[in-house]
Amino acid sequence: MKPDRKSKLYVHLLFWILYYILEVYLDFYWSRYQFPDAGWQQRLQNTIVLELGYLLIKMPLAYSLLYIYEQTGLKRFITYISCCFIIIAAVLVHRLFTHYIIYPYIYNVVETLDAKHPSGFINGLVAFNSFMDLIFMAGLIFGVEITRQKNLLKEQISLLKSEKLDQELTMLKAQINPHFLFNTLNNIYGMALKKADETPEVILQLSKVMRYNIYEASERYISIDKDVENIRDFLQIQQIRHHDLVIHFNENLDNPSQSISPLILIQFVENAFKHGVSETLGQSFIRIDIQLNNGVLHYHIENSKEEKPHGNSTKIGLKNIRRQLELLYPKHILTVESKNDLYIVTLIIDFNDTSRF
C-alpha cells in the first residue's frame, strides 16, 4: 500500500471511531430526556444500534462528496449540482431511516411532532435537523481530509527541499575534492622532479587525506575531531613542501564528538595556501585557532600573502564554502579580511541553532 493511501486509511479510520463515540455519547445523553422511563442499559443499547445505522448513511455521503471534490476536471456548476443532489438524497434516506426504522423498531414509538403533522416525515424542522446532522459530519470529514493533505504536501515539499540541498551539497563537494587533489599532485610532481627525499612521505599523507575525503566526506555529518585531524594531515603535507612555513595550530574542543558537515573547515586552509602562503616569496606563516565551547564554534585563520597577489587567482573555493554554509548553517557568521600582507578569516557557527535542515 502506498504511504499516501496508508496514511489516509489510518486517519479516516481514527476519525470514524472518534466520530461514532461522540455521536453515541450525544444521542445517549439526549435520550434520557426523550425517553425518561427507559433504563440506561436499554437507552445505551438503542443508541449504539441506531448510530451504526446512521453511520451507514453518513459514510457513503462523505466519500461521495470527497470524490466529487477531488475531481478537479469537473466544472464548478456540475460540482455544485452534484453535491446538492447527493445531500438532498442523503437527507431523504436519513428521514426514511429515522421515521420507518429507528422510531418504530428501536424506540417502539411513532415519530410525531404535533397534531398537525402526525407523521413528522415531511415536517420542515425534522428535515432541517437531518440536514444539519449530515452537514456537520461532512464538514468534519472535509476538515480532516484537507488537513491531512496539507500536512502530506508539507512533508513532500520538505523532502524535495532536503533532496535538492543534498544534491547541491554533493555537487559543491565534488567541485572541491578534485581541486584539492589536483593541487597536491602538482606539488608531488614538483618534488619528484627534484627527487626530494620527502616525496614518499607526502604521498602517504595524501593517501590518508584522500581516504578521508572519499569515505568520511560522503556522510552528511561527522564528528568535529575527525575534521580537525584531517586539517592536521593536510598541514603536514604542506609543511613538507614548504620548509620555511611557520604553522601555529591551536585547538580546544570541549566536545570532540560534536557533529559538523565534513570539508567545511579544511577549505579555508586550502584557500590560505592557494591564495596566500604558496604565493609568499619570503617566510610564510599560517595561524589556525579552533575553539568549541558549549556548542559554539569559533574558527580563526590568519595567513601571510603578497601585497600584490596575482590577478588571475580564482576564488571558486571561497564561493563554494559560502554556499555550503548558507545551506547548512544559515545563521553562521563569516568575515573575510584582506590586508596588505595578511589574510584573515573568522567563522562562527552555533551548533545549538535548530534552523538548519
Side-chain angles (χ1 to χ4, degrees):
M1 183 180 293
K2 294 182 179 180
D4 182 29
R5 292 183 178 179
K6 190 174 182 179
S7 167
K8 185 174 182 178
L9 176 63
Y10 289 156
V11 170
H12 282 233
L13 181 62
L14 178 61
F15 166 78
W16 288 116
I17 291 174
L18 295 177
Y19 177 78
Y20 177 74
I21 293 174
L22 174 64
E23 288 294 293
V24 168
Y25 169 77
L26 293 176
D27 201 48
F28 175 70
Y29 184 82
W30 167 82
S31 66
R32 67 178 181 175
Y33 301 104
Q34 185 75 2
F35 307 100
D37 297 333
W40 72 267
Q41 296 91 340
Q42 184 62 41
R43 289 190 291 109
L44 179 60
Q45 179 181 343
N46 292 342
T47 302
I48 291 174
V49 174
L50 71 90
E51 288 302 334
L52 281 175
Y54 283 138
L55 209 60
L56 296 178
I57 300 173
K58 294 176 180 179
M59 291 182 70
L61 168 65
Y63 291 109
S64 296
L65 294 176
L66 283 175
Y67 176 78
I68 294 175
Y69 169 76
E70 293 172 353
Q71 302 307 306
T72 56
L74 293 177
K75 294 183 179 180
R76 184 174 299 179
F77 175 75
I78 297 177
T79 300
Y80 289 156
I81 293 298
S82 300
C83 289
C84 290
F85 176 78
I86 291 173
I87 293 173
I88 292 173
V91 171
L92 183 63
V93 173
H94 189 278
R95 288 303 308 133
L96 284 169
F97 179 74
T98 302
H99 185 74
Y100 289 108
I101 296 179
I102 296 299
Y103 274 88
Y105 294 102
I106 302 298
Y107 293 146
N108 296 318
V109 296
V110 177
E111 182 186 27
T112 58
L113 288 180
D114 52 47
K116 294 181 180 180
H117 300 283
S119 68
F121 174 65
I122 60 173
N123 184 274
L125 179 60
V126 293
F128 179 76
N129 289 340
S130 297
F131 172 77
M132 291 304 297
D133 184 29
L134 296 175
I135 289 298
F136 173 71
M137 175 279 306
L140 288 178
I141 191 67
F142 264 76
V144 168
E145 178 60 17
I146 291 174
T147 301
R148 186 193 69 83
Q149 291 181 5
K150 286 185 177 180
N151 290 336
L152 182 63
L153 182 60
K154 287 181 180 179
E155 292 178 2
Q156 292 174 344
I157 293 175
S158 178
L159 180 61
L160 289 175
K161 286 182 178 180
S162 179
E163 291 176 352
K164 181 180 178 181
L165 292 179
D166 283 341
Q167 291 174 358
E168 186 171 354
L169 286 170
T170 301
M171 180 188 69
L172 290 172
K173 289 179 180 179
Q175 292 175 348
I176 293 164
N177 291 344
H179 169 75
F180 164 72
L181 178 62
F182 177 77
N183 286 337
T184 306
L185 288 176
N186 273 346
N187 294 340
I188 295 175
Y189 176 72
M191 296 175 66
L193 289 178
K194 298 178 182 179
K195 297 182 179 180
D197 296 337
E198 300 91 343
T199 303
E201 185 178 352
V202 175
I203 294 175
L204 182 62
Q205 291 295 330
L206 176 62
S207 173
K208 187 176 179 182
V209 171
M210 292 311 300
R211 188 181 300 111
Y212 172 87
N213 285 2
I214 293 172
Y215 296 107
E216 302 290 346
S218 62
E219 302 292 332
R220 176 178 288 188
Y221 296 105
I222 61 169
S223 60
I224 193 171
D225 60 334
K226 291 183 179 180
D227 218 38
V228 173
E229 183 181 357
N230 183 54
I231 294 175
R232 291 184 180 276
D233 293 333
F234 177 84
L235 290 175
Q236 288 183 17
I237 294 175
Q238 299 298 339
Q239 182 74 77
I240 294 173
R241 179 172 179 264
H242 303 278
H243 295 283
D244 296 332
L245 173 65
V246 177
I247 299 176
H248 299 277
F249 190 90
N250 183 38
E251 168 196 349
N252 182 19
L253 307 176
D254 65 352
N255 181 17
S257 61
Q258 169 66 54
S259 63
I260 187 174
S261 179
L263 302 178
I264 287 288
L265 304 181
I266 186 65
Q267 294 171 49
F268 291 107
V269 182
E270 290 181 29
N271 248 27
F273 280 92
K274 182 179 180 182
H275 304 294
V277 174
S278 60
E279 297 179 347
T280 304
L281 298 178
Q283 187 180 55
S284 57
F285 67 88
I286 181 170
R287 304 186 186 98
I288 302 175
D289 184 70
I290 305 175
Q291 303 287 330
L292 177 65
N293 296 308
N294 298 321
V296 180
L297 173 68
H298 291 264
Y299 185 43
H300 185 82
I301 297 180
E302 295 182 5
N303 64 270
S304 57
K305 72 179 186 68
E306 288 298 303
E307 292 188 8
K308 296 181 179 181
H310 300 295
N312 60 352
S313 297
T314 63
K315 300 295 182 180
I316 184 173
L318 189 57
K319 290 181 181 179
N320 285 345
I321 188 59
R322 285 185 184 276
R323 181 55 181 157
Q324 288 190 62
L325 287 169
E326 289 174 2
L327 295 173
L328 292 164
Y329 306 102
K331 295 183 180 180
H332 73 279
I333 299 175
L334 176 63
T335 58
V336 179
E337 299 178 67
S338 181
K339 299 183 178 180
N340 291 336
D341 58 350
L342 189 64
Y343 201 74
I344 304 173
V345 175
T346 302
L347 172 65
I348 301 176
I349 299 177
D350 186 357
F351 294 112
N352 301 308
D353 176 29
T354 58
S355 62
R356 58 179 178 162
F357 76 99

